[in-house]
Amino acid sequence: MSRGVTQPTLQGMTHIPPPAEELRLIDAELWQLDARRAQLLNRRAWLVAALQPKWPAPRPTPGARAAASPRPEASAPSVQNLLLVLGGVLLTVAAMVFTLVSWGHLGIAGRSLVLGAVTVTALGAPLLLLKRGLRSTAESVAGLGLALTVLDAYALHEVAFAGASGAPYTALASALLAALWMAYGVLPAASALRLPRPAALVAAQLPLLCWAIAVDAGPYGLTAALLVTAALDTTVALRMSTASVRVIAAIGAYGTGAWGVLAAGWLTWSASGPSAAARAAALLLFASATALAAAWHGVRPAERRATDPDSSGAGWSTGLAVVSGLLAVAALGGTARSVLPELWTAPAHLAFAVALLAALRLDRLPHAVRRGLAWASGAVQALTLLWAVPVVGIVVLGPLSWASRVWTGTPSDARTAVTADLAWPPHSEAAPLVLAALAAVLALAVRDATWRPKALTGALGLSWAAALTLPAVLELPYSASLLIQAAVTAGLLATAVLLRRHLPALLLALVTSASLALLALASQTATLLVLCALIALFTAASWRLAPFTAPTALGYGAALAVATGAAADWPPAHTALLVLTVPAAAALLAWRLGDSKATVPVEVAGASAGLLAIALAATDPPLLATVLALCGVITAATAIRTDRRPVGYAATALFVLATWVRLSAWDVAAPEAYTLPVTIPALLVGALRHRRDPRTSSWTAYAPGLAVTLVPSLFAAWGDPHWTRPLLLGAAALLVTLAGARHHLQAPLVLGGTVLTLDALHELAPYIVQVTDALPRWVPPALAGLLLLALGATYEKRLRDVRRIRENLGKMS
């Protein structure tokens, strides 16, 4: 506050009591505050006392709880079970050590007394532990007791049956132990124990196998023991309700069953006669029946609950049904293999697989089982198809070898014709029968509306393969093979026409025709006749299948033209003229088709034939020029159509190429002869374009045509020692320059002026050299210095002008 404010003024603005009065006021206020605070504290204490029973216990924060009592890494039940298991294992090890190492320190009575007492104690203790509610401890002690019974059996063998063989004693001991453990597990007092019954089931896996070994039953007996054990395990797995017993039974069934099936399959494969094959087949049929029974029993509860074929029970049943069907086919097929010749092995398996489809008619079978049997039949049919595929591949691809030995001689039969460079698969004479049977199955067995079209398509392909392989399998004459393939091609084309562009039939027809054409290359007469027949077939089919068959007919027409020229001993260049009839026919056909979908494929086929003609005439320049000119004529005729006007550029290029080739054939070396045929049409096109659109740049309209002639001629003039070419080039460049100046066109003016200047420099070069030699040596550096000074002064003037403009703009702002 300013010092100019007087004391009377301050006293008038704020009333300040005397110090004694102010102290009295402060004490009164503090007394009131203390009284109010005491009142609030009393009220709070009453409220806390009234609400104390309803408040929840205070919860510690996560950090405090973690710090106070860390979470244990192992739960109490886990620790308990681990301790019990370790205790039981240690006691078992101790018992084994006692039995095996310390046995000799006791007499016969002591041994029996110790082992018997310990075993009885270990088996009886779980009953007492269960009454006290110590189930886990009871399980651990029961495991020790079961292990002690095994040691008792071993001790009994060492003491009383030392001379008995291991296999029979093991069979008897395991059977007794299984019975004892099962009886112990079903006792009312021990029914809560989960270990004895699964352990009894594990012990039950050994008796039959050890008994077969003891009686020297041979491979068939051992396999039968494994399969019977698997069947017993399957029965237990399906009948028992205890989960642990069912799991152990299922593991045993799958394990012993798999080994038994593998052994039976090997016995079937290696059977030396019908008797051995029949015994192996019986084993496989037993395994098949077991799997089928398991599938049937496994799906029935699921079907009773809900008719859902995709349930878990139905899924397992379907898999077991597949295994059952495959084992049945393998058993019956193995028996047939031992009786029939080897070539009938695949057909026999196929026959049994087809017979398996009869199970689909049995309504008593669950849906999942029927589906599994159908899949098993399909798997066998797929395997037989794979067996027949090599024969089909040889018949279709074998004719490719005739491309390198054209017209070398007619083969003796159809098989020789397709195996010129390939080996015929042994024992494959039944391939057509297998393919035909598969086709019949697809056509007759599949009735589902969704799969029916696909099945019919597959049947068509299989029937095609059967018909195609039949001549080679039967070793029919070569001509008969050609006739059959031609008939197959005609049939497929007819099918494609009747079924309205059936794509699979059309593709098969194309493949068959290509194979037929290659196969006909063995004979000149056959080649000509087959190509004529193929042209007729595909032309006849073009009224419905033109986008596919018309180009194919044109392709075979080109091949016929080449074959005709070769048959007449014409040179390839002369044959090219005959091939040109195909592009001409394609251009005419494309004009007739108009906007059809077949137009573009036909034009592509014609263009390909034209390229073939050019390639054939490449070795004869005069004829090549003729062929190029004819191709240009055909292309120009195509460009007459409104939608094919851009083809005119290709026609122009062909005419230019024809001209160049002709000039090259005449040994013409002047570049103008090659460039003027390009320049004149280019200038005409540019003039027309500039006339239609005056905004077109002269560089676009005239520069390409002028540059094509002026630039090569300029290079030629610089290397020409005579005066004629430079004079003519200068005159032409002068006319171009004057025309550009007359019509105010930049491109002719610049190109003509540049060429004229360079041509003049070429003519003046000798004189310039003479003048340069006559000048003193200091003149060129002086001229160069003057030039640099002039350039520097000009650059400085430009910088001054820029600076002045910038200053003026600054003043304006």
Side-chain angles (χ1 to χ4, degrees), residues 386-462:
L386 291 177
W387 171 82
V389 163
V391 179
V392 180
I394 289 175
V395 171
V396 174
L397 302 178
L400 284 172
S401 60
W402 291 104
S404 60
R405 47 168 68 91
V406 179
W407 299 348
T408 55
T410 304
S412 59
D413 53 53
R415 184 179 297 185
T416 306
V418 298
T419 56
D421 290 336
L422 300 173
W424 184 259
H427 310 294
S428 59
E429 288 77 8
L433 178 61
V434 169
L435 295 170
L438 291 173
V441 169
L442 285 179
L444 299 176
V446 180
R447 295 296 180 181
D448 185 74
T450 304
W451 292 96
R452 180 69 177 172
K454 299 178 181 179
L456 292 178
T457 301
L460 176 64
L462 292 170

XYZ file of all heavy atoms in Angstrom, residues 386-462:
560
model
N -6.194 -97.692 -58.453
C -4.761 -97.362 -58.519
C -3.970 -98.477 -59.202
O -2.978 -98.207 -59.895
C -4.229 -97.108 -57.110
C -4.719 -95.837 -56.412
C -4.152 -95.765 -54.999
C -4.315 -94.610 -57.209
N -4.389 -99.722 -58.999
C -3.706 -100.835 -59.659
C -3.862 -100.747 -61.179
O -2.950 -101.134 -61.931
C -4.296 -102.142 -59.132
C -3.835 -103.365 -59.867
C -2.664 -104.042 -59.680
C -4.547 -104.061 -60.905
N -2.597 -105.101 -60.541
C -3.734 -105.140 -61.309
C -5.771 -103.867 -61.527
C -4.119 -106.024 -62.300
C -6.163 -104.740 -62.527
C -5.346 -105.804 -62.900
N -4.986 -100.234 -61.664
C -5.232 -100.170 -63.108
C -4.720 -98.880 -63.744
O -4.662 -98.795 -64.978
C -6.733 -100.304 -63.382
N -4.353 -97.875 -62.946
C -3.922 -96.594 -63.505
C -2.683 -96.714 -64.394
O -2.618 -96.077 -65.451
C -3.694 -95.579 -62.361
C -2.865 -94.400 -62.817
C -5.036 -95.088 -61.842
N -1.643 -97.495 -64.038
C -0.481 -97.600 -64.935
C -0.834 -98.061 -66.343
O -0.255 -97.582 -67.320
C 0.437 -98.595 -64.214
C 0.066 -98.480 -62.782
C -1.396 -98.220 -62.763
N -1.774 -98.974 -66.469
C -2.168 -99.448 -67.803
C -2.798 -98.305 -68.596
O -2.488 -98.098 -69.783
C -3.134 -100.639 -67.675
C -3.575 -101.119 -69.044
C -2.481 -101.767 -66.899
N -3.668 -97.539 -67.945
C -4.298 -96.411 -68.629
C -3.250 -95.372 -69.026
O -3.287 -94.825 -70.138
C -5.373 -95.782 -67.721
C -6.039 -94.604 -68.411
C -6.419 -96.811 -67.335
N -2.303 -95.105 -68.148
C -1.257 -94.144 -68.475
C -0.418 -94.572 -69.665
O -0.069 -93.752 -70.531
N -0.091 -95.855 -69.740
C 0.708 -96.341 -70.878
C -0.088 -96.238 -72.171
O 0.441 -95.827 -73.229
C 1.160 -97.788 -70.610
C 2.222 -97.802 -69.510
C 1.696 -98.432 -71.872
C 2.636 -99.196 -69.098
N -1.370 -96.569 -72.133
C -2.181 -96.521 -73.353
C -2.362 -95.087 -73.837
O -2.358 -94.816 -75.041
C -3.545 -97.189 -73.094
C -4.488 -96.975 -74.254
C -3.356 -98.676 -72.852
N -2.511 -94.131 -72.905
C -2.755 -92.745 -73.302
C -1.452 -92.035 -73.683
O -1.406 -91.290 -74.684
C -3.469 -91.996 -72.162
C -3.610 -90.517 -72.492
C -4.842 -92.599 -71.924
N -0.397 -92.243 -72.912
C 0.859 -91.515 -73.144
C 1.861 -92.275 -73.997
O 2.815 -91.674 -74.501
C 1.507 -91.164 -71.796
C 0.646 -90.320 -70.844
C 1.384 -90.100 -69.534
C 0.281 -88.994 -71.483
N 1.670 -93.587 -74.140
C 2.607 -94.365 -74.937
C 2.745 -93.885 -76.373
O 3.869 -93.873 -76.935
N 1.664 -93.446 -77.070
C 1.818 -92.976 -78.449
C 2.729 -91.770 -78.617
O 3.103 -91.441 -79.758
C 0.373 -92.640 -78.850
C -0.476 -93.529 -78.008
C 0.246 -93.624 -76.704
N 3.088 -91.087 -77.540
C 4.015 -89.966 -77.678
C 5.347 -90.390 -78.269
O 6.053 -89.580 -78.890
C 4.248 -89.310 -76.307
C 3.116 -88.415 -75.770
C 3.420 -88.007 -74.340
C 2.955 -87.193 -76.648
N 5.728 -91.641 -78.090
C 7.015 -92.104 -78.620
C 7.055 -92.067 -80.136
O 8.145 -92.012 -80.731
C 7.289 -93.524 -78.119
O 6.258 -94.408 -78.542
N 5.894 -92.089 -80.818
C 5.884 -92.058 -82.278
C 6.191 -90.683 -82.841
O 6.416 -90.543 -84.050
C 4.522 -92.537 -82.795
C 4.299 -93.992 -82.549
C 3.512 -94.558 -81.605
C 4.901 -95.085 -83.261
N 3.567 -95.927 -81.661
C 4.423 -96.276 -82.678
C 5.800 -95.170 -84.322
C 4.809 -97.538 -83.129
C 6.178 -96.408 -84.767
C 5.701 -97.587 -84.181
N 6.221 -89.659 -81.997
C 6.583 -88.330 -82.497
C 8.034 -88.267 -82.948
O 8.387 -87.433 -83.790
C 6.328 -87.287 -81.406
N 8.877 -89.124 -82.411
C 10.289 -89.152 -82.808
C 10.591 -90.232 -83.845
O 11.742 -90.349 -84.275
C 11.164 -89.378 -81.569
O 10.840 -90.609 -80.943
N 9.615 -91.008 -84.256
C 9.827 -92.048 -85.273
C 8.626 -92.091 -86.218
O 7.960 -93.108 -86.366
C 10.053 -93.414 -84.606
C 9.058 -93.745 -83.506
C 9.177 -95.221 -83.120
N 10.431 -95.512 -82.477
C 10.642 -95.472 -81.175
N 9.655 -95.138 -80.369
N 11.813 -95.757 -80.654
N 8.359 -90.946 -86.840
C 7.186 -90.811 -87.697
C 7.335 -91.687 -88.937
O 8.382 -91.681 -89.619
C 6.989 -89.338 -88.099
C 5.788 -89.183 -89.024
C 6.828 -88.480 -86.852
N 6.273 -92.448 -89.239
C 6.155 -93.257 -90.456
C 7.316 -94.251 -90.593
O 7.874 -94.448 -91.681
C 6.070 -92.383 -91.709
C 4.862 -91.481 -91.692
C 3.821 -91.539 -90.853
C 4.615 -90.374 -92.563
N 2.915 -90.554 -91.119
C 3.365 -89.810 -92.182
C 5.311 -89.806 -93.627
C 2.813 -88.714 -92.822
C 4.753 -88.710 -94.270
C 3.517 -88.171 -93.879
N 7.696 -94.854 -89.454
C 8.780 -95.839 -89.500
C 8.278 -97.263 -89.686
O 9.083 -98.185 -89.773
C 9.601 -95.766 -88.197
O 8.736 -95.930 -87.078
C 10.314 -94.427 -88.090
N 6.978 -97.449 -89.699
C 6.471 -98.799 -89.912
C 5.285 -99.098 -89.021
O 5.218 -98.645 -87.869
N 4.347 -99.874 -89.555
C 3.143 -100.222 -88.801
C 3.468 -101.256 -87.738
O 4.079 -102.292 -88.036
C 2.080 -100.782 -89.755
O 1.827 -99.830 -90.777
C 0.802 -101.093 -89.004
N 3.092 -101.024 -86.472
C 3.366 -102.017 -85.415
C 2.518 -103.267 -85.604
O 1.492 -103.262 -86.292
C 3.009 -101.270 -84.129
C 2.090 -100.192 -84.549
C 2.464 -99.815 -85.940
N 2.952 -104.336 -84.967
C 2.281 -105.619 -85.153
C 0.905 -105.668 -84.483
O -0.020 -106.281 -85.004
C 3.162 -106.749 -84.613
O 3.425 -106.528 -83.222
N 0.766 -105.064 -83.316
C -0.520 -105.084 -82.624
C -0.649 -103.827 -81.775
O 0.253 -102.979 -81.738
C -0.668 -106.333 -81.750
C 0.500 -106.518 -80.801
O 0.811 -105.564 -80.063
O 1.111 -107.607 -80.806
N -1.775 -103.723 -81.096
C -2.060 -102.509 -80.322
C -1.125 -102.358 -79.125
O -0.740 -101.237 -78.784
C -3.507 -102.535 -79.842
N -0.747 -103.465 -78.498
C 0.153 -103.353 -77.350
C 1.536 -102.898 -77.782
O 2.171 -102.070 -77.119
C 0.234 -104.686 -76.605
C 1.082 -104.612 -75.355
C 1.142 -105.938 -74.623
N -0.180 -106.357 -74.138
C -0.369 -107.433 -73.381
N 0.666 -108.212 -73.034
N -1.574 -107.755 -72.983
N 2.006 -103.403 -78.887
C 3.317 -102.969 -79.392
C 3.286 -101.490 -79.755
O 4.285 -100.778 -79.592
C 3.708 -103.811 -80.610
O 3.643 -105.192 -80.260
C 5.105 -103.466 -81.072
N 2.147 -101.018 -80.220
C 2.048 -99.627 -80.631
C 2.186 -98.661 -79.456
O 2.704 -97.552 -79.627
C 0.715 -99.390 -81.338
N 1.747 -99.056 -78.274
C 1.797 -98.146 -77.120
C 2.990 -98.416 -76.215
O 3.196 -97.679 -75.241
C 0.497 -98.233 -76.299
C -0.686 -97.804 -77.127
C 0.288 -99.624 -75.738
N 3.739 -99.459 -76.487
C 4.899 -99.790 -75.634
C 6.194 -99.715 -76.422
O 7.109 -100.510 -76.185
C 4.726 -101.189 -75.024
O 4.534 -102.143 -76.079
C 3.548 -101.226 -74.077
N 6.277 -98.774 -77.357
C 7.518 -98.641 -78.122
C 8.681 -98.246 -77.224
O 9.813 -98.705 -77.417
C 7.326 -97.615 -79.237
N 8.425 -97.379 -76.254
C 9.481 -96.945 -75.328
C 9.134 -97.263 -73.876
O 9.838 -96.809 -72.970
C 9.707 -95.435 -75.458
C 10.350 -95.065 -76.780
O 11.010 -95.934 -77.366
O 10.167 -93.914 -77.226
N 8.064 -98.000 -73.630
C 7.625 -98.290 -72.267
C 7.485 -99.794 -72.079
O 7.385 -100.550 -73.051
C 6.291 -97.597 -71.975
C 6.277 -96.062 -72.079
C 4.865 -95.530 -71.923
C 7.187 -95.430 -71.045
N 7.474 -100.203 -70.802
C 7.294 -101.618 -70.462
C 5.873 -101.867 -70.010
O 5.308 -101.082 -69.234
C 8.280 -102.030 -69.357
N 5.280 -102.943 -70.483
C 3.904 -103.289 -70.125
C 3.870 -103.864 -68.716
O 4.662 -104.750 -68.377
C 3.349 -104.291 -71.128
C 1.912 -104.628 -70.895
C 1.420 -105.734 -70.295
C 0.787 -103.834 -71.267
N 0.052 -105.687 -70.259
C -0.374 -104.521 -70.852
C 0.635 -102.607 -71.910
C -1.645 -104.031 -71.064
C -0.644 -102.116 -72.118
C -1.764 -102.829 -71.698
N 2.992 -103.394 -67.837
C 2.932 -103.920 -66.458
C 2.565 -105.403 -66.457
O 1.659 -105.828 -67.190
C 1.837 -103.084 -65.794
C 1.711 -101.862 -66.647
C 2.032 -102.301 -68.042
N 3.228 -106.215 -65.659
C 2.911 -107.650 -65.641
C 1.578 -107.926 -64.944
O 1.166 -107.198 -64.033
C 4.080 -108.257 -64.856
C 4.575 -107.137 -63.992
C 4.356 -105.876 -64.770
N 0.917 -108.968 -65.385
C -0.339 -109.455 -64.778
C -1.405 -108.341 -64.721
O -2.114 -108.193 -63.721
C -0.094 -109.988 -63.369
C 1.033 -110.966 -63.293
N 1.009 -112.201 -63.904
C 2.246 -110.870 -62.681
C 2.147 -112.836 -63.672
N 2.914 -112.064 -62.921
N -1.490 -107.559 -65.770
C -2.455 -106.454 -65.800
C -3.528 -106.649 -66.860
O -4.161 -105.684 -67.278
C -1.720 -105.134 -66.056
O -1.016 -105.191 -67.292
N -3.706 -107.883 -67.300
C -4.680 -108.122 -68.368
C -6.126 -107.908 -67.908
O -7.029 -107.767 -68.741
C -4.529 -109.541 -68.907
C -3.271 -109.767 -69.736
C -2.020 -109.899 -68.878
O -2.168 -109.958 -67.633
O -0.900 -109.926 -69.425
N -6.353 -107.888 -66.631
C -7.724 -107.710 -66.129
C -8.064 -106.241 -65.888
O -9.129 -105.943 -65.325
C -7.914 -108.490 -64.836
N -7.220 -105.331 -66.313
C -7.478 -103.905 -66.058
C -8.784 -103.424 -66.683
O -9.560 -102.716 -66.023
C -6.289 -103.074 -66.555
N -9.091 -103.765 -67.947
C -10.393 -103.299 -68.483
C -11.582 -103.819 -67.700
O -12.566 -103.094 -67.495
C -10.380 -103.833 -69.928
C -8.955 -104.047 -70.254
C -8.296 -104.451 -68.980
N -11.498 -105.069 -67.231
C -12.590 -105.631 -66.442
C -12.766 -104.861 -65.135
O -13.896 -104.549 -64.711
C -12.325 -107.105 -66.172
C -13.359 -107.835 -65.308
C -14.725 -107.815 -65.980
C -12.906 -109.260 -65.029
N -11.663 -104.541 -64.484
C -11.730 -103.784 -63.228
C -12.330 -102.407 -63.466
O -13.211 -101.939 -62.722
C -10.324 -103.681 -62.613
C -10.309 -102.672 -61.467
C -9.860 -105.035 -62.103
N -11.883 -101.734 -64.522
C -12.397 -100.395 -64.807
C -13.884 -100.431 -65.142
O -14.658 -99.576 -64.693
C -11.598 -99.776 -65.957
C -10.120 -99.505 -65.657
C -9.372 -99.124 -66.929
C -9.984 -98.393 -64.627
N -14.293 -101.424 -65.931
C -15.713 -101.538 -66.270
C -16.551 -101.847 -65.037
O -17.659 -101.304 -64.867
C -15.902 -102.617 -67.335
N -16.052 -102.704 -64.150
C -16.791 -103.023 -62.927
C -16.925 -101.788 -62.035
O -17.997 -101.533 -61.457
C -16.090 -104.150 -62.176
N -15.863 -101.018 -61.917
C -15.940 -99.791 -61.122
C -16.943 -98.808 -61.720
O -17.698 -98.144 -60.995
C -14.556 -99.149 -61.033
C -13.514 -99.896 -60.199
C -12.152 -99.240 -60.328
C -13.933 -99.948 -58.736
N -16.956 -98.717 -63.040
C -17.932 -97.837 -63.687
C -19.356 -98.298 -63.402
O -20.252 -97.482 -63.123
C -17.664 -97.786 -65.191
N -19.580 -99.597 -63.465
C -20.926 -100.123 -63.183
C -21.339 -99.854 -61.741
O -22.499 -99.516 -61.464
C -20.954 -101.619 -63.481
N -20.407 -99.993 -60.815
C -20.735 -99.736 -59.406
C -21.136 -98.283 -59.215
O -22.129 -97.971 -58.542
C -19.534 -100.102 -58.514
C -19.750 -99.602 -57.090
C -19.328 -101.602 -58.496
N -20.378 -97.371 -59.804
C -20.716 -95.959 -59.656
C -22.069 -95.640 -60.287
O -22.841 -94.840 -59.759
C -19.623 -95.094 -60.292
C -18.315 -94.963 -59.516
C -17.335 -94.113 -60.283
C -18.554 -94.354 -58.145
N -22.337 -96.253 -61.425
C -23.580 -95.936 -62.124
C -24.804 -96.538 -61.436
O -25.897 -95.959 -61.490
C -23.503 -96.419 -63.566
N -24.635 -97.683 -60.779
C -25.790 -98.391 -60.221
C -25.939 -98.222 -58.716
O -27.066 -98.228 -58.207
C -25.699 -99.886 -60.552
C -25.682 -100.244 -62.051
C -25.493 -101.731 -62.228
C -26.952 -99.760 -62.728
N -24.833 -98.101 -58.009
C -24.907 -98.112 -56.542
C -25.202 -96.746 -55.951
O -25.826 -96.653 -54.892
C -23.602 -98.661 -55.953
N -24.732 -95.691 -56.580
C -24.913 -94.346 -56.017
C -26.274 -93.814 -56.460
O -26.500 -93.564 -57.655
C -23.785 -93.399 -56.471
C -23.989 -92.021 -55.868
C -22.434 -93.968 -56.064
N -27.175 -93.636 -55.498
C -28.526 -93.168 -55.785
C -28.829 -91.810 -55.158
O -29.881 -91.244 -55.438
C -29.552 -94.186 -55.276
C -29.485 -95.527 -55.984
C -29.836 -95.395 -57.449
N -29.792 -96.667 -58.163
C -30.042 -96.777 -59.464
N -30.325 -95.700 -60.179
N -29.973 -97.964 -60.043
N -27.940 -91.311 -54.352
C -28.178 -90.028 -53.701
C -28.216 -88.914 -54.743
O -27.386 -88.861 -55.659
C -27.078 -89.748 -52.674
C -27.359 -88.476 -51.885
O -28.247 -88.495 -51.030
O -26.675 -87.475 -52.148
N -29.201 -88.026 -54.608
C -29.371 -86.969 -55.613
C -28.184 -86.020 -55.659
O -27.862 -85.473 -56.718
C -30.655 -86.186 -55.320
N -27.505 -85.837 -54.539
C -26.366 -84.924 -54.523
C -25.153 -85.523 -55.206
O -24.431 -84.846 -55.959
C -26.018 -84.558 -53.064
O -27.179 -84.006 -52.428
C -24.877 -83.556 -53.018
N -24.900 -86.809 -54.958
C -23.716 -87.465 -55.497
C -23.956 -88.139 -56.844
O -22.996 -88.580 -57.487
C -23.208 -88.516 -54.501
C -22.662 -87.911 -53.257
C -23.311 -87.719 -52.081
C -21.344 -87.396 -53.058
N -22.496 -87.119 -51.158
C -21.271 -86.917 -51.735
C -20.214 -87.298 -53.877
C -20.123 -86.346 -51.216
C -19.059 -86.731 -53.352
C -19.029 -86.266 -52.041
N -25.202 -88.233 -57.270
C -25.504 -88.953 -58.510
C -24.808 -88.344 -59.736
O -24.198 -89.085 -60.523
C -27.022 -88.967 -58.703
C -27.492 -89.697 -59.957
C -27.251 -91.178 -59.852
N -27.763 -91.891 -61.007
C -27.549 -93.172 -61.247
N -26.821 -93.894 -60.402
N -28.058 -93.749 -62.308
N -24.839 -87.022 -59.967
C -24.140 -86.478 -61.143
C -22.632 -86.740 -61.127
O -22.033 -87.073 -62.163
C -24.454 -84.977 -61.076
C -25.693 -84.880 -60.258
C -25.597 -85.979 -59.260
N -22.020 -86.607 -59.949
C -20.580 -86.868 -59.866
C -20.272 -88.341 -60.120
O -19.270 -88.682 -60.765
C -20.061 -86.451 -58.489
C -20.249 -84.971 -58.192
C -19.770 -84.619 -56.798
C -19.990 -83.155 -56.495
N -19.549 -82.781 -55.126
N -21.142 -89.219 -59.616
C -20.935 -90.648 -59.838
C -21.054 -90.986 -61.321
O -20.267 -91.794 -61.863
C -21.941 -91.455 -59.026
N -22.012 -90.398 -62.013
C -22.154 -90.659 -63.452
C -20.949 -90.134 -64.233
O -20.500 -90.763 -65.203
C -23.443 -90.021 -63.967
C -24.747 -90.649 -63.451
C -25.938 -89.891 -63.994
C -24.816 -92.129 -63.849
N -20.420 -88.996 -63.808
C -19.211 -88.481 -64.458
C -18.031 -89.428 -64.246
O -17.269 -89.724 -65.175
C -18.873 -87.088 -63.904
O -19.975 -86.215 -64.148
C -17.633 -86.528 -64.564
N -17.887 -89.918 -63.025
C -16.824 -90.901 -62.775
C -17.035 -92.174 -63.563
O -16.066 -92.770 -64.077
N -18.275 -92.627 -63.681
C -18.552 -93.830 -64.483
C -18.197 -93.611 -65.942
O -17.681 -94.521 -66.607
C -20.029 -94.197 -64.338
N -18.452 -92.400 -66.443
C -18.075 -92.097 -67.829
C -16.562 -92.177 -68.016
O -16.059 -92.765 -68.986
C -18.587 -90.705 -68.193
C -18.195 -90.190 -69.585
C -18.808 -91.073 -70.673
C -18.628 -88.739 -69.764
N -15.814 -91.595 -67.074
C -14.353 -91.652 -67.184
C -13.820 -93.073 -67.089
O -12.904 -93.454 -67.830
N -14.375 -93.873 -66.196
C -13.920 -95.252 -66.055
C -14.284 -96.083 -67.289
O -13.491 -96.936 -67.730
C -14.523 -95.866 -64.798
C -14.020 -95.281 -63.471
C -14.859 -95.797 -62.311
C -12.555 -95.630 -63.253
